[in-house]
Amino acid sequence: MSTAPAVALRVTPAAERAIRDGHPWVFEGSIREQSRPGTPGDIAVVFDRKNRFLAAGLLDPDRAIRARMLVIGAPRTIDEAFLRARVSEALHRRQRLVSDPHTTGLRIVAGEGDGLSGIIVDRYDDTLVAKVYTRAWIPHLQGLLAALDGELAPRRVVLRSSRNVAADPNTPAELRDPTVRGDPLEPGEGIPFLEHGLHFEAHPVEGHKTGFYLDQRDNRHRVRDLARGLDVLNVFSYSGGFSVAAAAGGARRATSVDMAGPALAQARRHFQMNEAHPQVRGCAHDVVEGDAFQVLDAMGTAGETRDVVVIDPPSFAKEAKQAAGALKAYERLTELAMGVLVRGGLLVQASCSSRVETDDFVAAVHRAAARSGRRLAEVEVTGHAQDHPVGIPENQYLKAVFARAF
Ligand code: SAH
C-alpha cells in the first residue's frame, strides 16, 4: 500500500454530483485543483466545495480517468481490511451462485459493479483470475491478493493486465504478461470448471478475457432451453460454449464457426468432456474455420438452412466514433443470418460493443431483417449474466436479441 500523503482533488460541481450519485470515475477534465501530480495508485481524496470529504480512491495520473473512487460519503482507509470487506460483500451479493455446485465458473468481482473500479476477478473452480485495468491498482495488488486469499484460499491466482496496462513501459515486467501464483500451470493447460453442470475449461493465460466468456452464461442457458431437436449454427463460437449448451438442451446438430483454429479445437474438446451427457453425446457437432461473414454467405448461397443461429461477434466499437460502422456490421450479420434461418427460426444476436446502445442495436437488427423480407418477433432482449452487475452505464456492454424470424 502507498504511504505517500493523499493527493487532494477539487472537481467541478457536475463531477461532484456524479460522484455523490455513485459514479466512481473522476475525469481529468473535471479537475479544478490537484494538490500534487502524484504517481499511479496514490490515494486520491476528493473534497467538495465546502471542503468536506466527498470520496477517496486511486489516482491514475496519466489517464483520462484520473482517479477511481472506492469510498464515497464517509471516509475509510483503503487497506487490505477494506479490500477484504469489498470482496466479502461481492461474494455475499452472489451467494446463490457462489454456493451452486453445478456452476463453478463465475465473476467474483465485477469492477465498478462491486465497488472496486478498475479490477475484475473471475473464479474457475479453485483458481482465481484477477485482471487489472489500470496501473493505479499495481501498488494495491498485494493487499488485494491477501484479501482474496483470506476470503477464498485459492489454489492459484493468475494475474492479467488489460492491453493498455501491459503495453505501458512503466508497468512492472511481471504484470506485462499473465503471471501465475501458487500452483503452476503448464503451457496450454486449461482449468476445468462447471457451468450449469456442463464441463468447460478456461485458458486464463492464452485465452480471451479471463479465459472464458462468463458474461454469456445466462444466454447460453436460454439457448439450451430452446434448442431441443433443432439444428443450431453458432457463429463466432470461440470455444463452443453456445454449441455445448444447445447440445445439452437436445439440439440435433451444432455447428461452431470461428476463424481461430485453437478455439475450435477447444470446442471439440468441450464436446468430448461432456460425452457422459446423453444429449451432448447424441448431438452431431461440426466446426468450420473461417471468416464468419464469408462462411454465412457461402452457406446461404448453397441453400443450407438452420433452425437457430447464434451470432456473438467480438466488439466492433471500442470508441464512440466506431459506433456507426459497428451497426453496419451488425446489420450485415443479421442479413446473412436470415439467409440460412428457416421461417420461424430463432435468431440470437449479441453485441458486446460498449459504444453501441441497446436500442440502436435492436433497431439495426430489425431493420436488417426487414430488408431481407423477414419480420422479427422479439422473444427477449437480455444482458450480462447475474454475476456481472453493471454498476455504471459505461459497463453495460453486452446485449442480446432473441427473436423468431418469420
Ligand atoms: N460466443 C463465445 C464468445 C465469442 S468471442 C462464447 O460464448 O464463448 C468472439 C470470437 O469471434 C472469437 O473466438 C474470435 O476468434 C472470433 N472472431 C473474430 N472475428 C471473426 C471473424 N471475422 N470470423 C470468424 N470468427 C471471428
Side-chain angles (χ1 to χ4, degrees):
M1 301 271 152
S2 167
T3 48
V7 174
L9 300 175
R10 284 182 176 75
V11 299
T12 61
E16 249 188 68
R17 264 195 309 279
I19 296 169
R20 203 164 269 129
D21 287 345
H23 200 302
W25 294 353
V26 179
F27 287 97
E28 61 180 335
S30 68
I31 294 177
R32 287 185 159 169
E33 267 178 67
Q34 181 167 338
S35 60
R36 63 184 174 85
T39 58
D42 282 352
I43 300 298
V45 177
V46 179
F47 293 96
D48 72 8
R49 110 202 61 154
K50 295 188 180 146
N51 243 350
R52 292 170 310 198
F53 175 94
L54 176 58
L58 307 182
L59 189 76
D60 206 355
D62 314 319
R63 310 285 304 175
I65 302 173
R66 182 69 66 85
R68 291 162 181 267
M69 296 298 110
L70 301 179
V71 176
I72 297 172
R76 267 178 88 171
T77 309
I78 296 170
D79 56 10
E80 186 187 318
F82 165 80
L83 296 174
R84 185 159 175 181
R86 280 284 151 98
V87 171
S88 163
E89 286 157 23
L91 289 169
H92 192 73
R93 219 165 273 139
R94 297 158 171 76
Q95 210 165 34
R96 192 188 54 75
L97 203 51
V98 168
S99 56
D100 178 356
H102 306 294
T103 295
T104 58
L106 68 152
R107 181 146 298 181
I108 295 287
V109 172
E112 288 78 9
D114 288 302
L116 292 172
S117 177
I119 201 120
I120 60 164
V121 182
D122 286 346
R123 188 179 89 184
Y124 299 104
D125 195 38
D126 48 9
T127 293
L128 298 181
V129 187
K131 192 158 172 184
V132 181
Y133 286 84
T134 150
R135 277 177 56 215
W137 269 99
I138 292 173
H140 304 277
L141 282 177
Q142 287 313 329
L144 180 77
L145 291 170
L148 291 169
D149 220 24
E151 284 301 308
L152 291 154
R155 180 169 149 215
R156 69 167 75 81
V157 181
V158 181
L159 264 179
R160 283 185 75 146
S161 306
S162 65
R163 220 164 284 156
N164 69 301
V165 174
D168 191 322
N170 296 312
T171 295
E174 76 266 19
L175 274 175
R176 279 198 227 130
D177 294 312
T179 53
V180 181
R181 301 173 184 226
D183 262 19
L185 263 180
E186 295 298 318
E189 184 183 342
I191 296 162
F193 69 97
L194 291 173
E195 178 173 292
H196 293 295
L198 297 174
H199 298 271
F200 290 105
E201 274 178 350
H203 288 270
V205 175
E206 304 88 359
H208 294 182
K209 295 217 159 196
T210 62
F212 197 76
Y213 286 83
L214 291 173
D215 51 356
Q216 290 282 26
R217 181 193 316 105
D218 292 354
N219 287 331
R220 281 189 287 268
H221 202 55
R222 288 185 180 95
V223 167
R224 179 175 177 171
D225 279 343
L226 294 164
R228 181 179 298 269
L230 301 179
D231 264 18
V232 179
L233 181 63
N234 177 13
V235 190
F236 302 97
S237 66
Y238 192 51
S239 56
F242 277 101
S243 305
V244 176
R252 207 156 51 108
R253 175 177 170 201
T255 305
S256 302
V257 179
D258 204 284
M259 66 180 194
L264 293 173
Q266 185 65 35
R268 282 216 168 90
R269 189 169 153 75
H270 281 152
F271 268 81
Q272 284 160 8
M273 286 169 62
N274 290 283
E275 273 279 290
H277 192 297
Q279 282 168 310
V280 176
R281 197 168 54 241
C283 173
H285 178 234
D286 53 342
V287 304
V288 181
E289 185 176 333
D291 173 67
F293 292 83
Q294 286 172 15
V295 172
L296 275 170
D297 197 22
M299 287 179 78
T301 307
E304 285 198 46
T305 56
R306 291 291 194 280
D307 307 304
V308 180
V309 178
V310 179
I311 301 184
D312 182 24
S315 174
F316 290 146
K318 295 212 165 88
E319 293 169 43
K321 63 175 192 282
Q322 297 167 324
L327 286 168
K328 286 225 165 61
Y330 292 129
E331 288 187 41
R332 179 76 187 128
L333 286 169
T334 307
E335 275 175 354
L336 290 167
M338 292 303 127
V340 295
L341 200 57
V342 298
R343 297 261 157 212
L346 181 72
L347 172 71
V348 180
Q349 190 169 346
S351 160
C352 63
S353 304
S354 56
R355 299 312 184 118
V356 171
E357 300 288 336
T358 303
D359 289 352
D360 295 337
F361 171 64
V362 175
V365 170
H366 278 279
R367 200 159 52 231
R371 238 186 353 250
S372 309
R374 304 287 287 268
R375 182 180 60 82
L376 288 185
E378 236 171 65
V379 180
E380 56 182 330
V381 177
T382 68
H384 317 78
Q386 297 149 13
D387 49 335
H388 293 58
V390 168
I392 56 172
E394 289 85 344
N395 287 355
Q396 175 69 63
Y397 64 94
L398 186 65
K399 45 261 170 202
V401 182
F402 285 67
R404 297 268 164 213
F406 293 98

